[in-house]
Amino acid sequence: MDLHVETDADLWEVEALMDLCFAPGRTALSSYRLREGVPPARDLCLVARGRGGEVAGAVRQWPVLVGTARAMLLGPVAVHPTRQGEGLGAFLIQSSLDAADRAGVERVMLVGDLPYYRRFGFGVLPGVTMPPPTNPDRVLGVWDWVGVAGPVTRALP
Ligand SMILES: CC(C)(COP(=O)(O)OP(=O)(O)OC[C@H]1O[C@@H](n2cnc3c(N)ncnc32)[C@H](O)[C@@H]1OP(=O)(O)O)[C@@H](O)C(=O)NCCC(=O)NCCS
């Protein structure tokens, strides 16, 4: 498995993987509104390719603001259905978190299932509100969230 930082050459294959792994209409999700007009954190967006060069999984991170504090929004993360359950998702997420740590990122959040993400240290962020409709129990964060709360908004460049 080859893991590398996403480049422009990966874009359409990664988009195709996301389309395969998520329900139609994924771009209508509120998390996508936070990404509009904001470049991703390129060094934290990773692509895993198998031996044949096929895209097996990918993860992205985007800068956001929570109140006035900077944070990263992790996601989407997707693993090809034929490769799920082999630890690739965990490898991608942990590698992306490690890259964020090395880059000096203080806090990462995401919208997802706590039973899956708690293994990476994520917990529910009670004071952080995503644009509706988002189930507050799915708003999760890791690292330094002390004193950080408020609405999640776009981090326009
Ligand atoms: C979620 C996803 C990225 C995980 O990738 P993966 O490579 O299958 O994950 P891993 O192999 O690292 O971990 C698999 C384990 O996580 C569990 N798991 C996967 N999704 C889960 C979820 N939503 N809630 C709880 N557990 C989950 C699996 O049951 C499995 O458990 P086990 O280790 O006890 O067998 C992948 O299943 C996927 O692409 N799903 C569709 C897109 C998606 O839902 N993305 C996440 C959006 S929040």
Side-chain angles (χ1 to χ4, degrees):
M1 195 66 65
D2 168 61
L3 187 71
H4 63 269
V5 169
E6 184 182 335
T7 69
D8 289 344
D10 296 309
L11 182 72
W12 293 111
E13 283 168 279
V14 172
E15 288 294 324
L17 176 71
M18 301 295 178
D19 285 342
L20 182 68
C21 292
F22 288 93
R26 67 183 169 95
T27 58
L29 293 170
S30 60
S31 48
Y32 279 80
R33 299 290 77 74
L34 296 167
R35 298 174 181 131
E36 279 172 1
V38 184
R42 261 303 162 90
D43 291 348
L44 314 184
C45 299
L46 305 177
V47 179
R49 287 185 181 269
R51 283 191 191 165
E54 74 286 1
V55 170
V59 60
R60 287 172 169 161
Q61 291 196 46
W62 253 267
V64 289
L65 289 176
V66 179
T68 55
R70 297 181 64 83
M72 286 294 164
L73 178 66
L74 189 146
V77 52
V79 170
H80 193 280
T82 59
R83 306 240 185 192
Q84 288 178 9
E86 297 173 1
L88 182 55
F91 180 58
L92 282 163
I93 292 162
Q94 194 58 59
S95 300
S96 184
L97 287 173
D98 290 347
D101 194 20
R102 286 194 299 272
V105 170
E106 289 176 281
R107 59 194 68 83
V108 178
M109 63 169 297
L110 58 78
V111 179
D113 295 328
L114 183 61
Y116 183 64
Y117 289 104
R118 66 158 52 100
R119 68 194 69 185
F120 309 103
F122 283 87
V124 175
L125 293 175
V128 175
T129 47
M130 284 286 289
T134 305
N135 178 346
D137 295 340
R138 290 172 51 80
V139 179
L140 312 178
V142 71
W143 303 339
D144 185 9
W145 287 90
V146 176
V148 178
V152 187
T153 56
R154 287 192 297 167
L156 288 171

